[in-house]
Structure formats: structure tokens, C-alpha cells
Amino acid sequence: MGGEPNSTVRVAILSDTHGYVCPDVLEIVQGCDAAVHAGDIGGSKVLDLLDASVGSTHAVRGNNDVPGLWAGDELDMLKTLPWAAEIRLPGGTLAVEHGHIHGAMSPDHEKLRSAHPEARVIVYGHTHKLLIDRSNSPWIINPGAAGRIRNQGGPSCLVLNAGPDCWDIETFRFARLAG
């Protein structure tokens, strides 16, 4: 992803849309080279919006991305989504999973690190809480909720700038959604 191995790519990271993406988050996605969704997508229209906004979208399933919570005509797409993914970027690997299997209420960061020891950064969702943990390697990040449900004060997302020598993370939080 991202062309030349010596170039920097911008990756929008979001999670927990539950069928709706905040328009402000979509605007951030449009300024990126790729998008990563860490689960609880809520339906194919979310992935369609991301695909229309950015050149490359990677998504994993969350605990709410199961038959019965997705429309019947979307189940073929749901079946194609993995539970975890590793994405090669300039300078390293980004690991993505929803996180719910590493702790029901709050995933254990050491378990996540053990599950993805070769990653440079691990992304998870599930808690709907924006978090950046640089206390150990690999870093662990959670973009919070990019939709309407339990967005902890307003929709949020992250942007990872991944270059061959340096990775940094930008944080975006938006005003509470009306309605």
C-alpha cells in the first residue's frame, strides 16, 4: 500500500460505526491514502462510503458484525471480512482486530501485544474509547467510535502517518452528533 517503499502514507483509522459514519470522519478519510476499520461496521453501506472516499479500505469484523445484525443481502460481503488483519506499510506492519477476544470490557494490551509481536502498531476497537498507548512496543491504539453509538463525547478517528523511518498518529474528535 502507498506506492514507493520510501514514501509516507496516511491511513485513516476508525471503528465502531454501527451502520453510520460521522460526516466529519468521512472528510478526514478523504484526505488519506487508505482507511482501516477495526470492526463493528454495521453494514456494507459503511464500507461503500469508505471505498468511495479513499483508494484502499481494510476492515475486520467486530463482535456485532454477525448474521442477524447485518441485512440479509449483505451477508456475502460480511463473510469476506476477516477477524484480524496485518497490513504492510512503509516502515512496518499495522495489525488490526476488534479486540473483544482479549477482554470483554477492555482488551488487555499485553495479550494484544503477544498476539501481534511483529507489528509496529496494533489497532483495536470495541470499547468506543479513543486511546493511544505508546508505553511499550508495539504501540496500541483505539480510534474510538466514528458513529453515533456510545461515542464518548463525540465521534473520533485517528490518522497514522507511516513512513519508512517514522510513524506518528494524529487524533480527531468531533462535536456530539444531534439526534
Side-chain angles (χ1 to χ4, degrees):
M1 171 191 322
E4 298 298 317
N6 291 328
S7 64
T8 297
V9 297
R10 288 178 54 80
V11 181
I13 299 172
L14 61 152
S15 187
D16 296 287
T17 50
H18 294 274
Y20 175 84
V21 183
C22 169
D24 293 320
V25 170
L26 277 176
E27 191 172 316
I28 297 298
V29 171
Q30 290 171 350
C32 292
D33 301 301
V36 169
H37 196 301
D40 281 0
I41 301 160
S44 64
K45 78 174 186 180
V46 168
L47 297 177
D48 292 342
L49 281 169
L50 294 176
D51 285 342
S53 298
V54 73
S56 176
T57 302
H58 304 272
V60 298
R61 290 170 73 164
N63 59 303
N64 286 299
D65 294 318
V66 294
L69 295 178
W70 276 45
D73 61 345
E74 299 178 328
L75 295 181
D76 286 341
M77 178 183 278
L78 177 63
K79 290 177 190 174
T80 68
L81 296 175
W83 290 100
E86 292 192 348
I87 304 159
R88 290 285 309 147
L89 298 171
T93 299
L94 179 69
V96 186
E97 64 174 85
H98 192 57
H100 62 288
I101 64 168
H102 297 288
M105 298 309 288
S106 184
D108 182 294
H109 288 192
E110 291 315 308
K111 286 182 181 178
L112 283 162
R113 287 183 173 108
S114 293
H116 305 282
E118 301 301 318
R120 186 161 178 174
V121 172
I122 301 166
V123 176
Y124 75 93
H126 189 57
T127 66
H128 295 224
K129 294 178 184 172
L130 182 66
L131 171 135
I132 298 172
D133 175 0
R134 293 183 177 120
S135 67
N136 208 338
S137 185
W139 293 348
I140 299 192
I141 61 176
N142 185 323
R148 284 191 162 101
I149 297 174
R150 294 187 325 273
N151 59 31
Q152 309 295 321
S156 60
C157 67
L158 299 170
V159 171
L160 170 66
N161 295 293
D165 299 320
C166 180
W167 284 23
D168 68 71
I169 300 165
E170 298 173 59
T171 303
F172 297 90
R173 175 160 314 268
F174 302 100
R176 281 188 186 269
L177 297 170

